[in-house]
């Protein structure tokens, strides 16, 4: 199909407007992070600060133990993502390829739990973890997040699209279930797995409420929780908050740039030619 | 390797896919399993492969009972209808995969895989992914992968049904060539009788999970042992005429009687279209339709409930609506009971 120059212009203008709207908050965040305290609240707002105050970043970094927060965030993100990927692959394989009693009922039950809002579970989960003595420990930050029904569902659907004959062929070739999963299913499902990893990593990196509730000490806090140290009873120190936020989103942007190709593939649902 | 099936049955929940099948497939032959959709032919093949475990009976390779053996321990190679190539691997990796699973050294495995690729004439495509190959090429890769471990039995599940008509012809000759070159016992599932009859040493015809006839292709066509076989094989299909056996005599509709050893009953006489001919005496019928089928002319005669077809001889012409006499020689007629079993005529 050939698009006329006029409609092409229109499409690009619309896309351009869309991108600007999407970028605006980020620009505002970066701009604010470079302002002085007085400039932040000025009306009409100033987009480009008079002097670029890079020392906001230094100040923000000194205000709270961000190095500790960063290490905690990385540990939690890596371990919970790893845990989720392992449980997701195993569960999705079982639900798509193995036969066992009550398989469909169990799967329906699992999917059903997605209808329960997370907030409802906050208190019971807290009580459970508190009884286990996990409060203010890595266990509380990681273990409840090492399984995701949504990811299992997503990967199961992807696995189901892989023709059964591949399984048979692999059995004739001498694969065990585990070998088949490792050598055939996982490589084929790579786009779906990367989507799962990315959604999980972002979710874990940005998680706020749960780490706030289950941690008490500074030593256990993660970056998003650390941002609260800029909100004091006397008000919020916006320029420092924004400087810290800018630093925090940086790893996510890098991750996204490298995995972009796979995310689009995974979400669009990669076609498999049998 | 000789394959013996002994009273093999397969039940899925309440349906019986294969019912008490017993047959011996001779060593080094190409045998087709033929039958209509859902007759249990693929199920039988999957049981030979070890992918399904039969619910009854036993399978012997030579004299060894393999009924409980897993697929990789049976010494088989298998080709699937959709080829089942691993999409993320190149052609070479696909062919090497079974060797890798059996822990062969990489250099040796590569050498064998290339050897096999040469046999199936795809050695120029080794670095491609399956998605970049045509159907025929994918098929060849699948055959190479099935043969690379030098199995003693090759199993093919409708290997030609995803190919276009011309390619199908080439590939079936290819399969025959490779089978002959390796002298490997081959079992081939198909629903296409032409395919089965053209390349097989023996054909195993199944219907509703049961063995109907296991025979050489010419016998299946000329000497069907059941009305189902007679109807299933051949195109255009068999003509049927009602007849009676009275006191040891078969009264044919063509004006002659035959001595037959069977109790009094109504029977059906079957005659192939090429064995039915126009004559001055015999059965009188009206011509309904005349059509050209390639080099031959086919005349459809009879009434709506019992149409018959015959090929006209060179130079013969008939008009639609014309009354003609048709005749069939006694050595070309086959007699079936109402239940379908064949009644043999004494010579």
């Amino acid at each position: 199909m050939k698009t006329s120059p006029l409609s092409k212009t229109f499409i690009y203008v619309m896309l351009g407007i869309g991108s600007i709207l999407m970028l605006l908050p980020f620009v505002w965040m970066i701009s604010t992070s470079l302002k002085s305290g007085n400039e932040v609240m000025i009306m009409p707002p100033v987009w480009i600060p008079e002097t670029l105050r890079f020392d906001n970043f230094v100040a923000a970094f000194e205000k709270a133990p961000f190095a500790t927060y960063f290490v905690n965030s990385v540990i939690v993100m890596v371990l919970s993502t790893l845990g989720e990927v392992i449980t997701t692959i195993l569960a999705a394989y079982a639900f798509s390829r193995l036969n066992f009693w009550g398989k469909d009922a169990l799967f329906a039950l699992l999917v059903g739990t997605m209808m329960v809002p997370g907030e409802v579970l906050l208190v019971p989960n807290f009580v459970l973890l508190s009884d286990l003595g996990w409060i203010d420990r890595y266990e509380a930050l990681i273990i409840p997040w090492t399984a995701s029904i949504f990811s299992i569902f997503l990967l199961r659907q992807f696995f189901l699209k892989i023709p059964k004959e591949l399984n048979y062929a692999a059995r004739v070739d001498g694969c065990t279930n585990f070998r088949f999963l490792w050598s055939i299913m996982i490589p084929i499902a790579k786009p779906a797995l990367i989507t799962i990893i990315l959604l999980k990593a972002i979710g874990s990196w940005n998680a706020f409420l749960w780490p706030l509730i289950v941690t008490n000490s500074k030593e256990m806090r993660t970056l998003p929780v650390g941002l609260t140290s800029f909100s004091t009873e006397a008000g919020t120190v916006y320029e420092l908050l924004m400087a810290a936020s800018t630093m925090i989103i940086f790893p996510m942007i890098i991750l996204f740039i490298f995995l972009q190709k796979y995310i689009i593939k995974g979400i669009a649902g990669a076609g498999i030619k049998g | 390797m000789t394959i013996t099936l002994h009273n093999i049955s397969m039940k899925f929940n309440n349906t019986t896919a294969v019912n008490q099948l017993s047959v011996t497939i001779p060593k080094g032959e190409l045998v087709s399993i033929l039958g209509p959709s859902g007759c249990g032919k693929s199920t039988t093949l999957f049981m030979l492969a070890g992918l399904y475990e039969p619910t009854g009976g036993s399978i012997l390779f030579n004299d060894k009972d393999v009924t409980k053996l897993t697929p990789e321990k049976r010494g088989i190679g298998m080709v699937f209808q959709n080829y089942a190539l691993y999409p993320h691997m190149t052609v070479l990796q696909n062919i090497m995969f079974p060797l890798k699973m059996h822990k062969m050294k990489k250099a040796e495995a590569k050498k064998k895989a290339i050897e096999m690729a040469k046999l199936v004439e795809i050695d120029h495509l080794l670095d491609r992914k399956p998605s970049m190959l045509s159907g025929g090429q994918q098929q060849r890769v699948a055959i190479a992968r099935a043969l690379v471990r030098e199995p003693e039995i090759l199993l093919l599940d409708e290997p030609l049904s995803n190919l276009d008509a011309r390619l199908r012809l080439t590939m079936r000759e290819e399969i025959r060539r490779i089978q002959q070159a390796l002298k490997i016992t081959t079992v081939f599932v198909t629903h296409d009788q032409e395919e089965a009859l053209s390349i097989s040493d023996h054909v195993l015809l199944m219907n509703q999970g049961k063995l109907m006839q296991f025979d050489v292709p010419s016998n299946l066509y000329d000497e069907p042992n059941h009305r189902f076989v007679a109807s299933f094989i051949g195109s255009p299909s068999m003509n049927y005429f009602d007849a009676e056996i009275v006191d040891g005599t078969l009264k044919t509709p063509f004006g002659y009687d035959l001595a037959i050893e069977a109790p009094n009953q109504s029977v059906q006489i079957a005659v192939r279209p090429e064995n039915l001919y126009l004559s001055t005496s015999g059965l009188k019928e009206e011509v309904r339709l005349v059509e050209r089928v390639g080099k031959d002319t086919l005349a459809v005669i009879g009434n709506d409930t019992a149409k018959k077809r015959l090929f006209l001889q060179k130079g013969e012409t008939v008009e639609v609506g014309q009354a003609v006499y048709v005749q069939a020689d006694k050595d070309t007629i086959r007699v079936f009971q109402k239940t379908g079993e064949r009644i043999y005529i004494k010579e």
Side-chain angles (χ1 to χ4, degrees):
Chain A
M1 198 179 78
K2 226 178 116 77
T3 34
S4 71
L6 195 72
S7 65
K8 217 172 180 176
T9 313
F10 179 73
I11 288 167
Y12 278 111
V13 167
M14 290 310 283
L15 286 175
I17 293 172
S19 330
I20 289 168
L21 283 175
M22 294 295 286
L23 277 173
L24 223 52
F26 290 97
V27 174
W28 185 247
M29 176 179 77
I30 293 165
S31 151
T32 306
S33 74
L34 297 169
K35 286 175 188 167
S36 67
N38 299 331
E39 259 179 321
V40 172
M41 291 300 186
I42 291 176
M43 277 295 164
V46 180
W47 282 95
I48 299 165
E50 228 164 88
T51 47
L52 299 177
R53 298 176 63 109
F54 286 102
D55 48 345
N56 280 346
F57 285 83
V58 182
F61 209 82
E62 281 166 354
K63 175 99 191 197
F66 273 100
T68 312
Y69 296 167
F70 182 81
V71 170
N72 284 343
S73 272
V74 169
I75 290 173
V76 170
M77 177 177 78
V78 169
L79 291 184
S80 64
T81 305
L82 195 73
E84 181 180 307
V85 165
I86 292 169
T87 56
T88 299
I89 288 173
L90 295 177
Y93 186 74
F95 281 120
S96 63
R97 279 295 190 273
L98 303 181
N99 284 316
F100 53 90
W101 188 84
K103 178 168 108 170
D104 294 335
L106 188 59
F107 187 68
L109 192 71
L110 281 184
V111 173
T113 62
M114 283 170 72
M115 286 188 278
V116 180
E119 289 79 358
V120 173
L121 300 173
L122 224 47
V123 174
N125 279 347
F126 181 84
V127 171
L128 178 67
L129 290 196
S130 145
D131 287 349
L132 286 169
W134 285 0
I135 298 302
D136 208 27
R137 292 165 64 126
Y138 282 124
E139 285 95 321
L141 289 167
I142 296 166
I143 290 173
W145 303 100
T146 50
S148 153
I149 309 295
F150 175 73
S151 300
I152 293 170
F153 177 75
L154 192 79
L155 195 63
R156 171 187 176 264
Q157 297 312 105
F158 201 93
F159 278 174
L160 283 178
K161 279 194 295 182
I162 298 173
K164 246 195 158 130
E165 280 79 5
L166 282 184
N167 203 343
Y168 292 142
R171 277 170 67 191
V172 172
D173 290 344
C175 277
T176 56
N177 263 319
F178 187 74
R179 185 74 211 216
F180 172 66
L181 177 62
W182 184 253
S183 297
I184 314 286
M185 296 287 259
I186 291 177
I188 294 175
K190 208 164 89 184
L193 277 171
I194 288 182
T195 308
I196 288 168
I197 289 172
L198 213 81
L199 290 176
K200 176 69 190 186
I202 293 171
S204 168
W205 192 258
N206 292 340
F208 173 71
L209 195 55
W210 184 256
L212 178 70
I213 291 174
V214 297
T215 58
N216 307 317
S217 59
K218 279 194 167 168
E219 287 69 40
M220 293 312 299
R221 296 227 143 147
T222 57
L223 287 170
V225 180
L227 292 180
T228 54
S229 40
F230 300 108
S231 305
T232 60
E233 278 158 23
T236 303
V237 193
Y238 284 106
E239 67 278 16
L240 297 189
L241 178 63
M242 289 304 157
S245 303
T246 307
M247 290 189 279
I248 289 173
I249 65 159
F250 213 68
M252 285 300 109
I253 291 175
I254 289 173
L255 199 67
F256 193 83
I257 289 169
F258 278 108
L259 298 177
Q260 201 178 21
K261 191 178 93 185
Y262 296 102
I263 302 166
I264 291 163
K265 245 197 201 167
I267 290 172
I272 293 171
K273 212 173 162 182
Chain B
M1 201 175 263
T2 313
I3 304 171
T4 311
L5 298 184
H6 189 71
N7 282 329
I8 281 291
S9 292
M10 183 74 202
K11 286 196 179 91
F12 295 108
N13 298 329
N14 292 323
T15 51
T16 305
V18 175
N19 193 355
Q20 303 271 318
L21 184 74
S22 292
V23 72
T24 299
I25 293 170
K27 186 182 173 188
E29 284 204 353
L30 196 163
V31 170
S32 300
I33 306 181
L34 177 67
S37 299
C39 72
K41 51 192 192 299
S42 285
T43 309
T44 306
L45 195 78
F46 275 50
M47 287 192 286
L48 285 177
L51 292 167
Y52 292 165
E53 194 183 317
T55 47
S58 55
I59 301 171
L60 282 82
F61 288 176
N62 284 343
D63 291 323
K64 192 178 165 215
D65 190 329
V66 296
T67 318
K68 302 267 179 202
L69 231 50
T70 51
E72 82 277 6
K73 293 197 181 119
R74 293 192 179 197
I76 53 154
M78 188 158 179
V79 175
F80 295 87
Q81 187 172 357
N82 60 7
Y83 320 130
L85 300 176
Y86 307 124
H88 58 296
M89 297 184 194
T90 63
V91 167
L92 185 65
Q93 287 168 335
N94 261 287
I95 303 175
M96 279 170 69
F97 189 73
L99 301 175
K100 195 174 150 194
M101 287 301 104
H102 287 79
K103 307 211 161 50
M104 188 184 270
K105 291 235 166 56
K106 208 172 171 193
E108 200 188 339
K110 193 171 174 183
K111 195 173 142 250
K112 285 203 78 152
I114 291 172
E115 220 170 85
M116 206 39 76
K118 281 199 177 117
L119 177 76
V120 298
E121 297 166 357
I122 45 152
D123 46 319
H124 57 295
L125 302 169
L126 293 174
D127 295 328
R128 302 240 186 125
K129 290 272 175 73
S131 57
M132 294 160 72
L133 303 178
S134 70
Q137 289 167 337
Q138 290 188 25
Q139 169 78 276
R140 285 168 191 266
V141 178
I143 293 173
R145 186 181 64 185
L147 291 173
V148 75
R149 277 182 62 213
E150 296 173 9
E152 293 196 64
I153 295 170
L154 177 62
L155 305 172
L156 304 133
D157 186 17
E158 305 227 14
L160 304 175
S161 58
N162 283 359
L163 301 176
D164 63 57
R166 190 179 295 241
L167 201 54
R168 204 175 297 173
L169 218 67
T170 328
M171 279 314 295
R172 83 178 186 213
E173 283 162 13
E174 266 306 283
I175 289 173
R176 183 60 167 169
R177 176 184 71 80
I178 294 163
Q179 189 264 334
Q180 295 277 301
L182 299 174
K183 300 256 178 293
I184 182 172
T185 312
T186 303
V187 183
F188 178 105
V189 165
T190 179
H191 61 264
D192 182 338
Q193 48 167 299
E194 197 196 315
E195 235 165 74
L197 298 179
S198 61
I199 61 168
S200 316
D201 296 307
H202 275 92
V203 177
L204 194 162
L205 183 63
M206 289 180 73
N207 186 36
Q208 295 178 343
K210 284 200 169 131
L211 172 68
M212 299 308 293
Q213 190 164 353
F214 179 68
D215 220 325
V216 296
S218 58
N219 270 356
L220 224 52
Y221 190 83
D222 293 328
E223 299 293 341
N225 64 8
H226 193 277
R227 194 175 55 208
F228 172 81
V229 181
S231 303
F232 189 79
I233 303 286
S235 173
S237 60
M238 200 65 124
N239 298 307
Y240 290 100
F241 302 90
D242 290 327
E244 291 289 329
I245 295 177
V246 183
D247 301 334
T249 308
L250 171 69
K251 298 193 175 303
T252 71
F254 307 111
Y256 56 82
D257 294 347
L258 285 171
I260 198 160
E261 258 179 37
N264 289 358
Q265 61 187 300
S266 303
V267 293
Q268 282 188 310
I269 291 179
V271 184
R272 294 249 173 241
E274 63 271 27
N275 294 331
L276 201 62
Y277 57 90
L278 298 180
S279 181
T280 49
S281 65
L283 181 68
K284 192 178 174 188
E285 295 277 14
E286 191 184 311
V287 178
R288 318 241 335 158
L289 190 69
V290 181
E291 43 180 311
R292 284 287 294 187
V293 187
K295 66 181 187 0
D296 300 310
T297 309
L298 186 72
V300 182
I301 59 171
N303 54 38
D304 280 338
T305 51
K307 278 186 201 156
K308 280 106 189 169
R309 293 176 175 79
L310 66 113
F311 287 110
L312 297 181
Q313 304 295 312
K314 243 196 164 76
E316 279 178 346
T317 49
V318 289
E319 301 283 323
V320 174
Q322 185 186 341
V324 292
Y325 286 99
V326 293
Q327 189 60 262
D329 292 336
K330 64 179 178 189
D331 60 332
T332 63
I333 69 174
R334 304 287 174 260
V335 186
F336 295 100
Q337 295 179 24
K338 282 284 179 205
T339 52
E341 277 83 32
R342 172 101 178 254
I343 303 174
Y344 289 88
I345 302 165
K346 270 197 307 183
E347 287 304 316

